[in-house]
Amino acid sequence: MSDSEFILELKDVTKIFPGVKALNKVRFQLKRGEVHALMGENGAGKSTFIKVITGVHAAEEGHMYLEGKEVHFRGPKDALDAGIAAVYQHPTTYPTLSVTENIFMGHEIIRGGMIQWKEMNAKARELLDRLHANFKPSDEIGALSVAQQQMTEIAKALSTNAKIIILDEPTASLTSNESEELYKIVDQLRDEGVSIIFISHRFEDMYRLATRVTVFRDSQYIGTYDVDKITNADLIKAMVGREISDMYPKPEVNIGEEIFRIENMSRTGFFKDVSINVHAGEIVGITGLVGAGRTEVMESVCGITKPDSGRVFLEGKQLNVKKPEDSMKAGIVLLPENRSTEGLILSWGLGRNVTLPIQKKLAKGGIFNDLRKENALSKKFLEEVDTKAVTIFDPASSLSGGNQQKVVVAKALAQDNMKLVIMDEPTKGVDVGAKAEIYAIMGELAKKGFGIIMISSEMPEILGMSDRVYVMCNGRVTGCLDRSEATQERILKLSMEQGKSDRKEAVQ
Amino acid sequence: MENRSLFKKITGSREALLTFVLLVLGIFITVLNPTFFSPVNIGQIFRNNALTMIMALGMLCVMLTAGIDISITSTLAFAGMSIGMLTKYNIVNNTFLLFLIAMVIGCFCGMLNGLIISKGKVAPIICTMGFMYIWRGMAYVVGNSQFASGEDVREFAEFGKDGTIGPYIILIVCYALFFWMLKWTKFGRKIYAVGSNAEAARISGINVDNTLISVYTMMGTLAGLAGALSVSIYASAQPNMQYGREMDVIAACVIGGVSMSGGRGSVAGTFLGALIISIIAKALPLINVPSIAQNTVKGVIILFVVIFNVITQRMVDRQNLERREM
Amino acid sequence: MAGKSGRSIKAEEKLTAKKLLFTWEGALILLFIAVNIFNMSISQSYTFANVLREMPKYLAEMFMVLPMAYILVLGDIDISVGSIVCLTGTLTCYISNAGAPFPVVILGCLGTGLLCGAFNGFITTSFPELPSMITTLGSQIIFRGIAEISLGGGGSVSYTNTKQIMPLSTKLGKTVPVIILVVMLAAVIFTVVLQRTTFGRSLYAIGSNKVSAFYAGVDVKRCRFIAYVLMGFMAGMCGLFLTAYTYGANTTTGQGFEMEVIAMCVFGGIASTGGKGTLVGGIIAGLIITLLRIALGQANVNSQMILVIVGALLIIAVLIPGIKGRFDELKKLRAAA
C-alpha cells in the first residue's frame, strides 16, 4: 500500500465485550486532509470503533497503520502522543474545572517543576480566539452550554497539535446556528491540513462537510462511498440493511373528540407560551431540534418539573399536577427519553419494572405487595408487546435497547387508567426490527382511542406516524402541520425559526 | 454596581466568603475581648489544631477524588501508639527516626485503603470504616493494654512541647508542599481530573487507580505524621487518642468548600475552614460563651455554610435561565 | 397486539437449596453456624442461658440496624444516630428526674428521637443537592452539642428514679429479657415493611435509580423523609433502652454507634450505594457480630481485638462481590470469544 495516501488505515479490527462482538473485522481508510463521515445506526459499533482508534479499548484482532507504519496503542496516552484526538459525543469535560484547566489536562506546560498558568491561559485565549469562541479561559466548564463545552474539547484537540481529529456526533446537541459555527471550524481545520473523522446521524452534516462516507452496520463494515456519488436512499439502505418504506403501519383511525389540551404553558429558561392539543385516536408528533424544549414541556405536564404558568386539561377537566403520581392518576403516561436512566431500573427484573407504577393498586390493602398478581400481570403485558426474555425475573440490563423499550411500553400498558400516552423518542437506540414493532403498538393504541404524543427528532418517523406535527424551536411552538401538509422542508424551516416570537401563522 | 460586584465576589468564591467570615469573626471577638489576638493565643490556636490542619490536607486530596477516609484517626492512633511503645521501651529514641517510622506506618495503612478502594471497587466510606476498626484495634494491641505517659516519651516530647517551633515548621512545610502540588504539578491536575470526571480522566490516559492509591497513601502518611506529632505535642500515647476527631477534619474541608462529589476544593479554602473551626473553639470561652456550646456552634456553622452555598447556586442557576432568550 | 411470535415468558421462580445458599443471606447463615461453633470452642461459658443473659447489653444498637437498612437501601447515610442516642438518653434522664411519670418519660424520649429524625429528613429532602453524609455530619455535631449543653460542666447525668425504668431491663418469666422481645418485634415489623410492602419496594426503587423511581410515580421526597423519621425514632428507642441498662448518660454516650450500625448493615449485604441487600442479612450480621463479642469477652480476649476482627470481616465481605463480578466477566468474555 502506498504510505502517503492514507494517514490512517485499519484492517480487520475485532473487538469483543462480555457477551457481544462490538466490532467484527471492520476496516477503514482515512486520506490525508479529508473530512470522512462515519455513519450507521445506533449500536452499529461506531463509538467502539472510535475508542479503538484512540486507544481507550484494545482490539482483540486487527491491524492499525498510522502514516503507513503499524502502531499498537496501549492506552489513550499513546494515541494522543501519536497525534490522534477525539471529541466525544457527550463532552468528556471536567465540569468543576476552568476552560484552561480542561484544555491542558494531561499535557500541561511545565517548566522548572511548575505549571505555567500564565502561559497556558494566554495559549487558551489564543485557541479560543482562533475558534471565535465567546467565552473566557477562566470560565468554569460546568456553567457553559454544550456547544461551548464542545468548542473547548476542540480547542483541547488543537492544543495537542493533533493530525487527526475525531468528532463523535458533534452536532447532536447543537442548535442550527451552533452547528453552522461548527461547520466553519471544521472547514478551517481541514484547510489547515488536519484529517477529520466525523460521526453523525444527520445527513445534512455529511453533505455539508464530508467527501467520503463509510457505513457500519451490526458491528460490520458495509462500504465506503464518495458523498457526491451516493444517493440518500442507497445510503439508508446501506445503514439499515433494507428499504424502509414499509416501516410505518399508520392505521386509518377515526379521530374523535379533543381529550387533552395544554394552554399557554411557560417555564423560565426552557419554554414559553406553549399550547398543544390532542384528540382521541390521534398521534401527535412533536419535533424540533434537540434543546428546543420538547421534552421539557412534557416533563412539566407530567409533574416532573414545575411550570411557571399555564393550564393543562384532560377530557375537559383542568389538572392540578404537583408530582408524577398525580398525572399518572389522571391517566397520563410518560415513556421517558432515556430508558436506562429514567424509564427503567436496570438492575431490577422486568416484572418489577412493569408493576412499579401500579404497585399500590395491586397490593393487598394498598400496602402488602401481591407477588402472584404482579407476576401474572407483568407476564401478560410483557408477552403482549412480545419481549424477548426468558423469565420476568431477568434483569432489565440484560436486554437489548429495543427490548428494553418494549418493557417500557409494557409498563405503560399496565396502567389501566391510561388515556394519553406521551412517548419521548420512542425508537432512540432501537434496532430496525423492534422499531417496526413499536410503531405497530402505537397504531394499535391509536385504534383503541388513546391520545398519543410522540416526541421525535427522526424526520421519517414524524412524517410516517403522525396525524399532526407540532414543531418547536427555542422553547416556542413555531408551527403545527397536518399530515397532508407536513414535509421535511417545512418542518426543517419551522424548526429553525430562531427567536421569532410573533410567529403564529400555523398554530391552531 | 460596585457593591454588587463585591457581593458577587464574596458569594462567588468560597475562599473570599471564608475570609470575610473570618474577618467578621475576628472583629466581633476582638471587640468583646481585646486580648484575643495576642501572639500567644494565636500560636496556641495553631498548635492545638495542628493535627486537624495537617490531616485536612490529605482529606482535601481524598475528597477531591470524590472519596472519603474515616480511618485517619485510627491510623493516627496506631502510628502514635507504635512509636510511643518504641520510645517507652527505649528501642528507638531518635526523634527523626520516630517520626519517620510513624509516617511509614501511616503510609502503609493508607496504601491498603487505596488498593482496596481502587482495585477492589469498594465504596471509600465502607473500606475506610473497616480499617477504622482494624487500626484502632491494632493501636490497643501494640500497646498491650499499656500507654505511654509523659515520663515515657519525655525526650520525644521535647520536639513538640509548648514554645518550640517544631510543630509550626511541620505545619508550614505541609501546607507549602500541598499548595505547590495541587496548583503547580501534573500530579495535582490528575487528582482534580479523577474527581471531576473519572471516565474522562480514563479516556484521556490518566491512570485513575494509581492516582487513587497515591491519594490515600498521602492521606495515610499525613495521619501517621499527625500521630507522631500528637504524641509529641500532648506528651502521651494512648490507644484512644483523637477518637472521633476524623469528623472535625471532614468538617474543616466541608466548611472550606471542598465538594464531597469531587473535583472542587483548594488548599486555601481548607486552611480557612480549619482555621474557622479552631478560632471558634478558642474564642467561645473568651467571649463568655461556655465552651460546652462549642459543638453546637460548629454544627450550625457547617449546616449554614453548605446550605448557603446551595441557595446561592440555585439563585445563580435561576438567573442564568432567566437570561436565556426565547 | 398479543405476542405475534407467541413467545411465552416464565413467571415462576424455582427456589432451590443451592440458589438459596448462594445468596449473601445463605452465606451469612452458614457463617452464623460457624461462628457459634467457633464461639463454643473458645469459651466454656458460651451456653444459651449465658448468651441470653449477656445479650441485652449489646442489643440496644440492634434497634438502629433496622432503620439504618432503610437509609442505606435508599442510597443515603445517617451518621448522626449516635448523637441522637446521646441526646435522647440525656433528655430521658432529665425528664424523669424532673418527676415526670414513666409514660411521659418514654414519650419524651421517643419524641425527641422522632424530632431529630424529622430535622435530618427535612434538611436532606429540602436540599437534595447536598450529600446526606454532609447534612448528617452537621446534625451529628449539633445533636451531641445540645446534649453537651444540657449536661453542663459535669458532662453526665444519672437516672435517679431507677425503679421507674427497671421494667425495661427486667426479664419476662425470669429468663427472657424484655429488650429481646422488643427487638424481635421491631425486627419482624421492619423486615416485613421493607421486603413485603409497597413502601419497602419504593425504597429499593429509589436506591436503585432515583430518577426512574420518580418518573414511575414514587414519591421520593416523602419516602426519604419517612426513612429519616423512622431512623430518629429508633435511635430514641436505642437511647431509652441504653438508659434502662446504664441508668444515666454522658457526653460520650452512643459515640461511634453510627459506624457500628452501618458496619453491621454492610456486612449483612446492604450496599452503601443503595438498592441492594435485605434486612434479614443485616439482622443476621448484627447477631454474628454481637455473639462474637460475647464469646470473645467470655474468653478474655483483649476486648479491642474484636475491633480488628469486625473490621477485617467487613472488608472481606465488601471485597467478595467485586471479586465475583470480575470472575463472571472473565467467563462471559471467554464465552463471547
Side-chain angles (χ1 to χ4, degrees):
Chain A
M1 126 219 59
S2 79
D3 53 306
S4 60
E5 192 187 358
F6 300 119
I7 185 164
L8 179 76
E9 186 171 13
L10 286 96
K11 279 184 181 164
D12 298 331
V13 172
T14 299
K15 170 73 201 167
I16 298 167
F17 285 124
V20 279
K21 246 184 192 170
L23 290 176
N24 193 358
K25 293 199 182 300
V26 299
R27 57 202 136 107
F28 183 78
Q29 291 173 324
L30 179 67
K31 283 184 192 162
R32 200 178 297 278
E34 78 167 334
V35 178
H36 193 130
L38 182 58
M39 299 190 84
E41 290 206 296
N42 287 326
K46 293 165 298 178
S47 290
T48 311
F49 180 68
I50 294 311
K51 288 190 173 163
V52 169
I53 299 180
T54 54
V56 175
H57 295 323
E60 266 75 26
E61 284 168 31
H63 308 276
M64 178 162 157
Y65 305 91
L66 192 66
E67 313 213 44
K69 282 191 282 283
E70 179 153 15
V71 286
H72 295 280
F73 294 153
R74 276 157 304 163
K77 192 122 196 11
D78 291 355
L80 276 174
D81 291 343
I84 301 176
V87 176
Y88 292 98
Q89 183 176 358
H90 307 289
T92 49
T93 49
Y94 304 99
T96 60
L97 305 182
S98 75
V99 171
T100 306
E101 288 175 292
N102 266 279
I103 289 178
F104 288 97
M105 184 60 77
H107 56 276
E108 297 83 359
I109 303 172
I110 297 182
R111 227 170 287 126
M114 305 268 269
I115 291 179
Q116 304 298 311
W117 285 109
K118 256 194 191 150
E119 199 177 329
M120 275 161 52
N121 275 322
K123 192 97 185 284
R125 178 75 271 170
E126 215 174 276
L127 287 167
L128 293 184
D129 284 345
R130 191 167 143 201
L131 299 174
H132 308 290
N134 57 350
F135 50 94
K136 295 195 298 289
S138 60
D139 287 344
E140 197 177 285
I141 283 278
L144 298 181
S145 73
V146 178
Q148 290 170 322
Q149 295 190 20
Q150 223 146 33
M151 217 173 265
T152 309
E153 293 263 287
I154 293 173
K156 180 176 183 175
L158 291 176
S159 73
T160 61
N161 294 321
K163 287 175 287 188
I164 300 172
I165 294 182
I166 302 165
L167 302 170
D168 188 357
E169 298 218 28
T171 55
S173 344
L174 301 189
T175 64
S176 54
N177 276 349
E178 290 168 338
S179 298
E180 198 47 52
E181 285 297 312
L182 185 83
Y183 294 156
K184 279 184 201 149
I185 292 170
V186 174
D187 284 341
Q188 185 188 339
L189 292 178
R190 185 196 50 214
D191 294 344
E192 289 170 14
V194 180
S195 313
I196 290 161
I197 304 173
F198 196 101
I199 300 181
S200 178
H201 277 306
R202 293 190 185 174
F203 284 2
E204 47 180 307
D205 290 346
M206 183 194 71
Y207 288 124
R208 170 70 175 73
L209 292 169
T211 46
R212 293 197 305 155
V213 52
T214 292
V215 175
F216 284 2
R217 185 176 75 224
D218 300 334
S219 314
Q220 282 174 326
Y221 172 83
I222 300 301
T224 300
Y225 317 92
D226 285 333
V227 168
D228 45 12
K229 284 190 194 125
I230 187 165
T231 64
N232 231 334
D234 286 344
L235 199 57
I236 292 173
K237 200 174 165 188
M239 280 166 64
V240 299
R242 63 185 168 94
E243 315 222 9
I244 53 162
S245 53
D246 56 341
M247 279 288 290
Y248 307 103
K250 175 90 184 68
E252 282 304 313
V253 175
N254 287 329
I255 290 172
E257 299 269 289
E258 176 191 276
I259 57 163
F260 175 74
R261 189 167 80 243
I262 305 173
E263 273 182 8
N264 302 93
M265 198 157 72
S266 301
R267 183 172 164 228
T268 312
F270 292 98
F271 53 85
K272 200 162 184 187
D273 267 339
V274 171
S275 299
I276 285 172
N277 67 349
V278 180
H279 299 86
E282 186 182 35
I283 299 179
V284 171
I286 301 187
T287 189
L289 300 173
V290 173
R294 306 166 301 174
T295 301
E296 286 78 4
V297 171
M298 291 308 147
E299 282 179 347
S300 283
V301 167
C302 296
I304 311 274
T305 53
K306 224 175 106 10
D308 297 328
S309 63
R311 292 187 294 173
V312 175
F313 296 88
L314 189 69
E315 294 185 329
K317 273 191 298 241
Q318 188 175 349
L319 299 183
N320 180 18
V321 174
K322 291 214 169 69
K323 48 182 196 272
E325 208 184 338
D326 300 338
S327 67
M328 286 161 64
K329 266 188 192 144
I332 300 177
V333 176
L334 172 72
L335 278 67
E337 179 179 4
N338 301 305
R339 280 184 299 278
S340 53
T341 56
E342 297 162 354
L344 292 174
I345 295 176
L346 289 183
S347 56
W348 278 20
L350 311 177
R352 283 206 170 179
N353 267 301
V354 170
T355 52
L356 180 62
I358 48 166
Q359 58 160 341
K360 272 189 191 147
K361 268 186 241 165
L362 297 178
K364 292 172 202 148
I367 295 173
F368 295 101
N369 288 324
D370 186 339
L371 292 183
R372 193 173 298 167
K373 224 170 167 184
E374 282 186 16
N375 290 350
L377 198 81
S378 52
K379 174 181 156 77
K380 181 181 148 212
F381 285 107
L382 285 168
E383 283 176 2
E384 197 168 314
V385 296
D386 204 21
T387 317
K388 281 197 192 86
V390 183
T391 77
I392 62 163
F393 306 105
D394 295 353
S397 56
S398 68
L399 300 188
S400 69
N403 276 294
Q404 284 183 0
Q405 186 66 0
K406 287 188 201 165
V407 178
V408 177
V409 173
K411 187 174 165 183
L413 294 179
Q415 300 180 44
D416 53 8
N417 65 338
M418 179 168 78
K419 293 174 186 131
L420 176 80
V421 204
I422 302 171
M423 298 179 153
D424 195 350
E425 302 280 5
T427 61
K428 189 174 157 189
V430 169
D431 55 86
V432 183
K435 253 185 194 175
E437 289 176 60
I438 288 167
Y439 294 138
I441 294 171
M442 275 169 79
E444 294 283 339
L445 289 174
K447 262 191 208 162
K448 285 185 185 166
F450 294 112
I452 298 173
I453 293 179
M454 176 182 68
I455 303 178
S456 176
S457 304
E458 286 191 43
M459 199 64 84
E461 175 172 298
I462 283 286
L463 294 175
M465 289 306 293
S466 356
D467 292 301
R468 254 183 327 136
V469 184
Y470 283 93
V471 186
M472 285 188 71
C473 174
N474 206 16
R476 287 172 184 276
V477 173
T478 45
C480 177
L481 304 169
D482 251 1
R483 186 173 175 81
S484 53
E485 51 186 13
T487 62
Q488 184 152 354
E489 290 69 37
R490 292 189 70 168
I491 290 177
L492 265 179
K493 191 162 163 275
L494 284 170
S495 59
M496 287 171 194
E497 304 268 335
Q498 296 284 3
K500 281 180 196 147
S501 52
D502 53 350
R503 198 146 187 86
K504 280 184 190 143
E505 46 137 42
V507 185
Q508 296 175 351
Chain B
M1 212 46 216
E2 189 84 328
N3 268 341
R4 194 159 163 212
S5 73
L6 185 69
F7 174 76
K8 251 195 181 157
K9 253 192 186 146
I10 288 172
T11 53
S13 122
R14 182 63 76 93
E15 288 81 5
L17 174 68
L18 289 177
T19 315
F20 180 73
V21 169
L22 259 180
L23 275 177
V24 172
L25 206 66
I27 293 167
F28 183 68
I29 297 167
T30 319
V31 167
L32 288 176
N33 187 337
T35 63
F36 179 70
F37 273 101
S38 66
V40 178
N41 261 342
I42 290 178
Q44 262 177 358
I45 286 176
F46 281 102
R47 189 168 171 275
N48 290 344
N49 294 284
L51 307 180
T52 307
M53 287 182 168
I54 287 175
M55 288 192 288
L57 284 171
M59 191 63 81
L60 162 67
C61 296
V62 168
M63 285 171 71
L64 279 177
T65 64
I68 196 161
D69 188 345
I70 58 172
S71 71
I72 50 171
T73 49
S74 296
T75 306
L76 177 152
F78 179 39
M81 274 305 283
S82 302
I83 62 161
M85 290 301 117
L86 285 174
T87 176
K88 175 173 177 166
Y89 297 112
N90 292 319
I91 302 166
V92 180
N93 273 327
N94 181 308
T95 304
F96 176 73
L97 208 55
L98 286 170
F99 264 99
L100 197 68
I101 292 170
M103 285 166 74
V104 169
I105 292 174
C107 171
F108 166 76
C109 298
M111 201 186 299
L112 264 182
N113 272 333
L115 276 171
I116 290 178
I117 289 165
S118 64
K119 302 290 180 194
K121 308 262 175 282
V122 173
I125 184 163
I126 302 301
C127 170
T128 57
M129 184 195 290
F131 282 112
M132 175 181 91
Y133 288 118
I134 295 179
W135 304 132
R136 183 64 70 179
M138 290 304 288
Y140 283 95
V141 172
V142 294
N144 198 13
S145 319
Q146 304 277 308
F147 62 90
S149 65
E151 259 327 275
D152 301 327
V153 296
R154 184 192 292 156
E155 204 180 320
F156 183 64
E158 285 294 314
F159 177 83
K161 79 174 185 196
D162 215 353
T164 56
I165 55 163
Y168 302 110
I169 290 179
I170 291 185
L171 199 59
I172 292 169
V173 168
C174 283
Y175 268 84
L177 203 66
F178 273 76
F179 185 75
W180 169 73
M181 182 188 80
L182 285 178
K183 177 108 189 161
W184 281 314
T185 70
K186 225 175 167 96
F187 178 63
R189 297 286 87 214
K190 283 186 192 171
I191 297 178
Y192 278 96
V194 168
S196 190
N197 186 344
E199 190 48 38
R202 195 170 284 123
I203 287 175
S204 60
I206 293 171
N207 189 328
V208 175
D209 284 1
N210 283 355
T211 311
L212 285 178
I213 295 172
S214 329
V215 162
Y216 283 93
T217 307
M218 282 189 317
M219 175 78 258
T221 311
L222 286 179
L225 172 67
L229 207 56
S230 167
V231 174
S232 185
I233 290 179
Y234 301 110
S236 78
Q238 286 153 347
N240 66 344
M241 58 191 187
Q242 298 287 318
Y243 180 78
R245 294 292 292 277
E246 64 274 358
M247 291 304 163
D248 271 8
V249 176
I250 296 168
C253 290
V254 169
I255 293 179
V258 186
S259 153
M260 224 159 217
S261 41
R264 211 189 291 270
S266 71
V267 170
T270 307
F271 175 70
L272 292 171
L275 197 58
I276 286 183
I277 289 190
S278 315
I279 287 184
I280 287 166
K282 182 81 186 168
L284 287 182
L286 292 181
I287 55 171
N288 293 324
V289 178
S291 61
I292 48 170
Q294 209 192 97
N295 272 332
T296 314
V297 174
K298 194 160 70 186
V300 170
I301 286 184
I302 293 175
L303 283 187
F304 172 78
V305 169
V306 292
I307 290 174
F308 181 81
N309 210 31
V310 169
I311 292 174
T312 46
Q313 187 58 48
R314 281 183 190 174
M315 273 159 53
V316 170
D317 289 349
R318 180 90 204 162
Q319 274 170 5
N320 285 344
L321 283 180
E322 272 163 11
R323 248 187 281 133
R324 239 155 90 174
E325 271 177 50
M326 288 196 171
Chain C
M1 69 182 105
K4 279 155 264 144
S5 64
R7 188 184 293 111
S8 147
I9 302 169
K10 271 190 236 141
E12 298 83 34
E13 210 172 16
K14 262 195 210 137
L15 276 181
T16 60
K18 195 180 156 197
K19 249 191 203 162
L20 264 183
L21 275 183
F22 267 67
T23 59
W24 190 250
E25 287 75 18
L28 281 175
I29 291 173
L30 288 187
L31 185 65
F32 180 79
I33 297 167
V35 161
N36 274 305
I37 296 169
F38 169 79
N39 285 350
M40 277 183 261
S41 71
I42 61 162
S43 162
Q44 297 291 323
S45 42
Y46 190 78
T47 62
F48 186 71
N50 280 340
V51 169
L52 211 57
R53 207 184 57 239
E54 290 188 40
M55 209 151 174
K57 270 199 289 190
Y58 303 99
L59 268 186
E61 274 177 61
M62 210 57 170
F63 281 118
M64 297 201 291
V65 170
L66 311 171
M68 187 60 87
Y70 287 18
I71 301 261
L72 292 178
V73 162
L74 277 172
D76 280 358
I77 201 162
D78 186 346
I79 59 168
S80 72
V81 295
S83 299
I84 302 181
V85 170
C86 179
L87 182 58
T88 53
T90 304
L91 291 186
T92 307
C93 295
Y94 280 119
I95 295 171
S96 165
N97 292 356
F102 196 43
V104 175
V105 174
I106 293 180
L107 267 178
C109 177
L110 299 181
T112 310
L114 199 107
L115 277 180
C116 291
F119 177 80
N120 280 335
F122 174 73
I123 302 262
T124 32
T125 52
S126 307
F127 304 101
E129 297 97 325
L130 292 172
S132 51
M133 174 92 192
I134 287 189
T135 53
T136 57
L137 168 67
S139 56
Q140 176 195 52
I141 301 175
I142 293 177
F143 294 153
R144 192 171 293 279
I146 297 173
E148 281 166 0
I149 292 174
S150 23
L151 285 167
S156 69
V157 60
S158 356
Y159 201 102
T160 42
N161 189 359
T162 51
K163 252 204 194 119
Q164 186 189 42
I165 202 165
M166 208 77 101
L168 292 181
S169 57
T170 51
K171 295 177 178 132
L172 274 182
K174 297 218 155 105
T175 47
V176 188
V178 170
I179 184 170
I180 292 190
L181 293 176
V182 183
V183 166
M184 274 166 63
L185 180 69
V188 169
I189 295 174
F190 269 83
T191 309
V192 168
V193 168
L194 183 61
Q195 316 310 151
R196 289 274 173 268
T197 68
T198 54
F199 175 69
R201 180 81 62 84
S202 302
L203 296 183
Y204 280 102
I206 296 168
S208 301
N209 184 339
K210 205 181 274 180
V211 180
S212 286
F214 181 58
Y215 274 73
V218 174
D219 195 335
V220 177
K221 210 170 167 178
R222 190 168 63 194
C223 287
R224 287 181 77 203
F225 184 77
I226 293 175
Y228 279 99
V229 170
L230 286 176
M231 184 76 243
F233 180 78
M234 292 308 271
M237 198 78 136
C238 174
L240 183 68
F241 275 93
L242 206 63
T243 314
Y245 278 93
T246 55
Y247 299 120
N250 58 49
T251 50
T252 62
T253 299
Q255 206 170 33
F257 275 22
E258 59 278 357
M259 292 305 164
E260 288 176 24
V261 169
I262 294 168
M264 286 179 193
C265 287
V266 173
F267 181 38
I270 303 165
S272 64
T273 42
K276 284 208 190 84
T278 65
L279 198 39
V280 178
I283 293 168
I284 301 175
L287 277 179
I288 290 177
I289 291 176
T290 306
L291 293 177
L292 211 51
R293 271 185 185 165
I294 293 175
L296 291 173
Q298 288 170 342
N300 279 328
V301 173
N302 182 337
S303 68
Q304 307 301 334
M305 198 59 204
I306 182 74
L307 291 182
V308 181
I309 295 173
V310 170
L313 275 178
L314 184 66
I315 297 227
I316 294 168
V318 289
L319 272 175
I320 288 173
I323 294 170
K324 194 176 166 287
R326 235 170 235 204
F327 194 72
D328 290 349
E329 205 168 278
L330 268 179
K331 260 206 284 193
K332 264 193 195 164
L333 209 60
R334 235 174 262 147

